[in-house]
Amino acid sequence: MAGAIVSRELCKAQKQAGATYRQALASELERQGVRLEQKDTFRVAAIPRHIERAFSKRRQAIEEAARAHGYSTPKGMELAERHVAPEESMNG
């Protein structure tokens, strides 16, 4: 199909753009002296995890989806994330 958006390619490009953004953000935060903890992604070390969770609506929505689908493993959390629309967790 000429001109059709191929959703797999769009998804791949979106993930790459997100990764590029997060890397640039992490670099700038570190440049400004903010200490980060990094694994697959990063978090600001000075923010306690219980505070981070309390203010993360997206994480709450993912955990809710995981419970609803009976997921409890890290892979299950990844699957649950697919059930949560980005705008669903941003509103409210």
Side-chain angles (χ1 to χ4, degrees):
M1 273 187 200
I5 295 177
V6 178
S7 63
R8 184 168 285 156
E9 290 177 21
L10 181 60
C11 183
K12 185 178 175 182
Q14 181 183 17
K15 286 183 182 240
Q16 182 60 44
T20 300
Y21 168 78
R22 287 186 299 278
Q23 181 59 44
L25 177 60
S27 294
E28 181 61 21
L29 288 170
E30 286 181 320
R31 190 183 73 73
Q32 292 187 22
V34 176
R35 192 168 65 84
L36 304 177
E37 294 175 356
Q38 295 190 355
K39 290 185 183 170
D40 293 333
T41 185
F42 71 88
R43 62 180 296 278
V44 176
I47 299 174
R49 289 197 185 271
H50 71 280
I51 299 295
E52 187 177 272
R53 283 192 177 282
F55 285 92
S56 175
K57 291 181 182 181
R58 177 154 180 79
R59 182 70 184 174
Q60 291 170 7
I62 292 168
E63 289 174 350
E64 207 172 281
R67 280 191 298 277
H69 289 87
Y71 300 140
S72 60
T73 65
K75 181 65 176 176
M77 293 302 283
E78 185 179 314
L79 293 170
E81 185 173 6
R82 296 178 186 170
H83 295 285
V84 177
E87 52 283 343
E88 179 182 323
S89 58
M90 301 299 241
N91 297 328

